[in-house]
Amino acid sequence: MTFVDVILPVPLPGLFTYALPASLESQAQAGCRVVVPFGNKKVTTGVIARLHDQEPVGVTVKDVVEILDDTPVILSSQLSLWQWMADYYLCTIGEVFKAALPAKMKTLRTSSLFHLGGIREESAVRNAFPVLSPAQLSALTAIKESWQRLPVCLLHGVTSSGKTEIYIHLIAEAIAHGEQVLYLLPEIVLTSQLTDRLRAVFGERLGVYHSKFTDKQREEVWYRQLSDQPYDIIVGVRSSVFLPFQRLGLVIVDEEHEVNFKQQDPAPRYHARNVAILMATRAKARVLLGTATPSLESYYNARTGKYGLVTLKERFGQVLLPEIEIVDVKELRRKRMMTGPFSPQLLERMRSALDSGQQVILFQNRRGYATHIQCPVCGWVPHCPHCDVPLTLHARSGRMTCHYCGFTAEIPARCPACENEQLRPHGFGTERIEEDICTFFPEARIARMDLDTTRTRNAYESIIHDFSSGKTDILVGTQMVTKGLDFERVSVVGILSADTMLHQPDFRAFERSFQMMSQVSGRAGRRQQRGIVILQAMDVTLPLIHQIVDNDFDAMYQDQMLQRRQFTYPPFTRLIFVYMKHRHASVVDMLARDATQRLRNLFGTRVLGPDEPPVARVQSLFIRRIMLKLESSLPLARIRQLLWQVKAELQNQKTYTSSQIYFDVDPL
Ligand code: ADP
Ligand code: ZN
Ligand code: ZN
């Protein structure tokens, strides 16, 4: 009798054993999908992880109903990657399976195997790519030398240093050797600019993979990668680490510092850069991490000899890095020289840029009209009834919105606490900045790029297209405008409030602020002429502000490393968050205390909390969090085992039924 252990898309740990009817025996292979009974008279689609002949004892084993594939659709390298992800990120392999496969492949119907259009013409790499500058060439050589010693290399190259051109050369070499390339980007918005550039060189050998494509398109890419004519290059966002690769030779992670590489919700809460590195190491492939502002983790790995490090200090074509002028907002406020969030310096620079046909980017890391509204008489602030946050004012829609759950409400005509009728907006979001700018520059064409204006893929692209082609003059936006976009005519960048970013309750706040401000500054003056950045801050004495001005990444790194070491934060420790959610605050509090006690018995003072995360209630669920700070030297396997055990103990208690407990490993 043959049995199969099956991965099912459920949040229960382990594999599920089924018996294989004799009629299906010849068809069954690890990596094939099966239909099996699960739960109350239901069937579901799973994946065979392995075949064996050990009958499970003490349980009735049900039969496999159907096998959907004649050949595996998940490679053994993928199955073992899934297992690694489940282990490392403390989730179930079923949750990884759910995230990995395009939805169609998880349905009960057998999908007809895709017709791949016959024998594809081996389209030659067009010899159209530019000649590298001496600086780019020596970086290219250094990267290749570094790969002789270490599989991972970090390319720290200032904005506009021509990193992409270096990648193109490395890709061409890899595919000339018959290798496949995975090119990871943090954001869908960046893929279109890049895809155009890569298509011009690699034509049909390039495949693109991300969630804004239809499920059918994604399924098609999956099947193509299994065929004998896979795409040589895949460009995609984090989910493309799940694709099958038969001969992976090179992984490029562009903008490696970006937080978006980490999946927040749901499980698996994985970091695509780190998964890609593991995947590449297993396939004996090389990895290049590229960025102008490395994550401190990667830079630490490079400085301690775990990764190679190649630095590119000059911009391509001798374009100078922008000049950054600090503006003391506190002083100007005192002198009553600020107009709302705008300093006279910023307005003057904008005026002269616009007069000479140049463009402007304004960066404010907060969307909406105002942060919130407040009653000036009694101080009342409207909050979301489901989440623990003030509602954000959106003037255009005339409503207040919760940025966590999407709840909206009318702006009240009067304060419900004291009946006062003049409620006042507080703080500046991108929407308000856009509106105010119109009054200063009525002739300018203004666009806004934030979550509210880019709900669809086309919206993103048309905003970027209009700005690149000069149809708009001023682009106002949140961190979205800091991403690696390449614009030709931007001569002025305004950072409206450095303080908003710096004073977040997060040990990474300074690192993030440095990254965002350096990146947005890097959008200025990319061709021909030097750009100017106006950096407005309340506290201009902060060393970080000056490190940004001097583009002194190393100084920031040294400062932050001192802090991280002193307060034992990553990369000196490993963090794991334990999250607990429940509809009742009293239950979640009890659960959190109980969990903390159990964890303390095992891990002692490495357990911190419980506390409330910055937003402690979302969608009517109260949230508590426990932080585990673990020395990197501790054995991970044992820790995982203990954490699963504590979770099981808690979930077996009646008091905590219907609570959620989950882990976030290496949280960002
Ligand atoms: P980065 O990725 O480092 O920000 P890019 O690769 O986007 O920089 O290069 C910045 C600009 O310089 C782009 O417009 C690019 O086309 C141009 N560029 C870079 N290298 C070359 C080269 N070797 N020849 C011609 N143009 C180049
Ligand atoms: Zn009031
Ligand atoms: Zn809410």
Side-chain angles (χ1 to χ4, degrees), residues 130-133 136 157-167 169 197 254-255 312 316-317 484 486 523 526-527:
V131 181
L132 296 183
S133 70
Q136 284 171 313
V158 296
T159 50
S160 211
S161 55
K163 295 185 286 297
T164 317
E165 302 300 337
I166 295 176
Y167 304 154
H169 280 251
R197 256 167 106 175
D254 198 14
E255 311 291 348
L312 199 49
F316 179 79
D486 189 13
R523 307 305 122 207
R526 283 167 80 88
R527 307 271 164 90

Side-chain angles (χ1 to χ4, degrees), residues 181-233:
V181 180
L182 169 61
Y183 191 137
L184 282 178
L185 283 162
E187 291 252 8
I188 294 174
V189 59
L190 297 176
T191 57
S192 38
Q193 259 199 3
L194 180 79
T195 310
D196 292 346
R197 256 167 106 175
L198 294 183
R199 276 262 153 76
V201 183
F202 300 108
E204 293 304 303
R205 307 178 74 153
L206 179 78
V208 184
Y209 192 77
H210 57 64
S211 60
K212 289 275 165 78
F213 283 129
T214 65
D215 200 58
K216 188 166 159 44
Q217 287 169 317
R218 284 192 288 159
E219 194 186 9
E220 218 168 297
V221 175
W222 190 289
Y223 278 100
R224 186 183 273 279
Q225 294 316 85
L226 290 171
S227 76
D228 55 6
Q229 289 169 31
Y231 289 114
D232 296 309
I233 310 154

Side-chain angles (χ1 to χ4, degrees), residues 87-88 90 574 634-644:
D87 289 345
Y88 186 85
L90 289 162
R574 176 190 303 282
L634 292 179
L636 259 185
R638 179 76 186 129
I639 289 167
R640 285 187 212 121
Q641 200 184 9
L642 293 170
L643 289 174
W644 278 119

Side-chain angles (χ1 to χ4, degrees), residues 8 10 12 16 18 36-44 62:
L8 293 181
V10 293
L12 297 170
F16 299 83
Y18 291 88
V36 293
F38 187 76
N40 275 342
K41 291 180 204 152
K42 276 195 238 147
V43 288
T44 183
K62 293 178 184 160

Side-chain angles (χ1 to χ4, degrees), residues 84 181 217 305 322 324 344 364 415 446 450 466 514 547 606 668:
W84 179 85
V181 180
Q217 287 169 317
I324 303 180
Q364 167 71 341
C415 171
I446 304 167
D450 55 31
D466 287 354
F514 184 94
Q547 289 157 2
R606 299 178 185 96
L668 282 185

Side-chain angles (χ1 to χ4, degrees), residues 466-492:
D466 287 354
F467 195 62
S468 319
S469 63
K471 274 196 199 141
T472 43
D473 307 303
I474 303 174
L475 181 63
V476 181
T478 54
Q479 38 82 31
M480 278 185 196
V481 300
T482 69
K483 311 291 170 182
L485 295 161
D486 189 13
F487 300 116
E488 273 184 55
R489 280 190 295 274
V490 176
S491 64
V492 174

Side-chain angles (χ1 to χ4, degrees), residues 632-667:
S632 319
S633 57
L634 292 179
L636 259 185
R638 179 76 186 129
I639 289 167
R640 285 187 212 121
Q641 200 184 9
L642 293 170
L643 289 174
W644 278 119
Q645 186 189 310
V646 169
K647 178 176 170 173
E649 282 167 16
L650 291 165
Q651 279 182 331
N652 282 338
Q653 298 211 23
K654 267 228 158 60
T655 343
Y656 308 135
T657 359
S658 76
S659 65
Q660 294 173 36
I661 304 172
Y662 62 85
F663 304 105
D664 189 0
V665 180
D666 303 336

